[in-house]
Amino acid sequence: MKEIRTTLVVGAGTMGHGFAQIFALNHVPVRLTDETDELLKRAHGWIIDNLNTMVELGEVERKEVESVLTNIQFTTDLKKAAQEVDYVLEAVSENLDLKKGIFQQLGGYTQPHAILASNTSSFDINELSAVTVHPQRVIGTHWYHPPQITPCVEVIPSKTTDQQTIQRTMGFMERIGKVPTLCKSAPGFVGNRIQFAMAAEALAIVDEGLATPEEVDRIVKTSFGFRLGAYGPFEICDQAGLDVYRSVYEYLYGRLQKERFKPPKIFDQLIEQGRLGLKTQSGFYQYKEGAVEAMKRERDRKLYARLRLFREEQKAVKKD
């Protein structure tokens, strides 16, 4: 498979400048394009600010900043910039017609081997591949803000994306330090469906007068949000017990009568098989002999590390 050596980011806004920065930090030359020199100048300033922050935090050395910036070429000429790159990441506004127009152009401007990726957070990747020459090289890569820091990248193939494009994209994301995870093309993909479901319930709680926005944020940050940096929802479910989760769902559904709290059928299926989670050595995951104690020790190690960071942040807030 052809190695990705040169990249192009289309759109120098909130996400685009971060993409260019992370590519350049990993010694991958990148061309950053937008409609006007003013937009590119703004992006250049943002990147310098980000790099200065990294220096202050000890993430990079001051002497590295200049070499990072030399890896970024700023240009308003999309056609010329696209002609000799191996990987294109579209980061324009979340407007489907605008993105289709960009992909139609990119299909004609780029070489056939070039991967055409979109950072869309909601649109069907199949709609973008449908307007592009060589649709097998079109793929979705949904990053999370700020992209130069947040590890996750959802990798979303279309129905026509070939295996080589998937493998090259996954490998490239890992090479620049990201955590790529495959998922199917569907509205909201995975992360945003979960994120917006949580936001909807938080908003409903405020609307009902149960708590203020500040109180909701405080509870989330010090409860399940505190743990989510260490464990995903299925890992947490296994630790608590599937039978416990089903019982809570049953109570919430019985009292609130809201469909979102109706006990998922998957609990019944797993519980009937005796898969209650960590306590039975199987739930959503399978656990080896002795895994329970090892998991508890690992859990405590991770959570105490987060608790130390949390306490430091609280001290800093009090000082301010």
Side-chain angles (χ1 to χ4, degrees), residues 169-181:
T169 300
M170 295 285 284
F172 182 51
M173 293 299 102
E174 290 173 352
R175 181 176 140 205
I176 62 172
K178 295 301 170 181
V179 181
T181 306

Side-chain angles (χ1 to χ4, degrees), residues 88-265:
V88 180
L89 179 51
E90 167 271 310
V92 301
S93 302
E94 197 71 351
N95 177 304
L96 184 56
D97 289 335
L98 175 61
K99 288 180 184 290
K100 282 183 174 180
I102 293 291
F103 269 78
Q104 198 166 29
Q105 291 179 70
L106 290 172
Y109 295 162
T110 54
Q111 297 182 60
H113 78 271
I115 292 173
L116 304 183
S118 173
N119 181 54
T120 178
S121 59
S122 57
F123 297 138
D124 187 347
I125 304 303
N126 293 290
E127 294 195 56
L128 299 179
S129 64
V131 300
T132 310
V133 179
H134 307 297
Q136 70 276 7
R137 43 72 174 266
V138 173
I139 197 164
T141 55
H142 178 216
W143 302 50
Y144 286 80
H145 187 263
Q148 67 272 20
I149 302 174
T150 309
C152 178
V153 178
E154 292 177 315
V155 177
I156 312 108
S158 73
K159 293 176 181 177
T160 55
T161 306
D162 63 23
Q163 196 60 38
Q164 187 175 104
T165 297
I166 296 171
Q167 291 175 356
R168 289 176 71 202
T169 300
M170 295 285 284
F172 182 51
M173 293 299 102
E174 290 173 352
R175 181 176 140 205
I176 62 172
K178 295 301 170 181
V179 181
T181 306
L182 278 174
C183 65
K184 293 181 180 179
S185 186
F189 311 128
V190 174
N192 270 347
R193 279 187 61 175
I194 296 171
Q195 182 174 230
F196 277 80
M198 183 196 72
E201 193 60 27
L203 290 163
I205 285 168
V206 172
D207 281 343
E208 292 169 22
L210 299 180
T212 65
E214 293 80 10
E215 289 163 343
V216 171
D217 283 344
R218 184 181 178 90
I219 290 168
V220 170
K221 288 188 291 185
T222 57
S223 61
F224 66 86
F226 175 81
R227 298 179 305 191
L228 282 175
Y231 295 102
F234 290 100
E235 291 171 317
I236 292 174
C237 190
D238 268 4
Q239 291 176 30
L242 276 60
D243 53 336
V244 174
Y245 258 64
R246 183 177 67 176
S247 179
V248 173
Y249 270 110
E250 288 172 344
Y251 179 79
L252 291 173
Y253 183 62
R255 290 301 183 96
L256 299 175
Q257 290 297 302
K258 293 182 178 179
E259 282 299 305
R260 59 182 171 272
F261 294 121
K262 191 172 184 178
K265 292 181 180 178

Side-chain angles (χ1 to χ4, degrees), residues 8-24:
L8 165 65
V9 175
V10 183
T14 302
M15 296 292 281
H17 82 279
F19 297 146
Q21 178 183 327
I22 194 69
F23 293 160

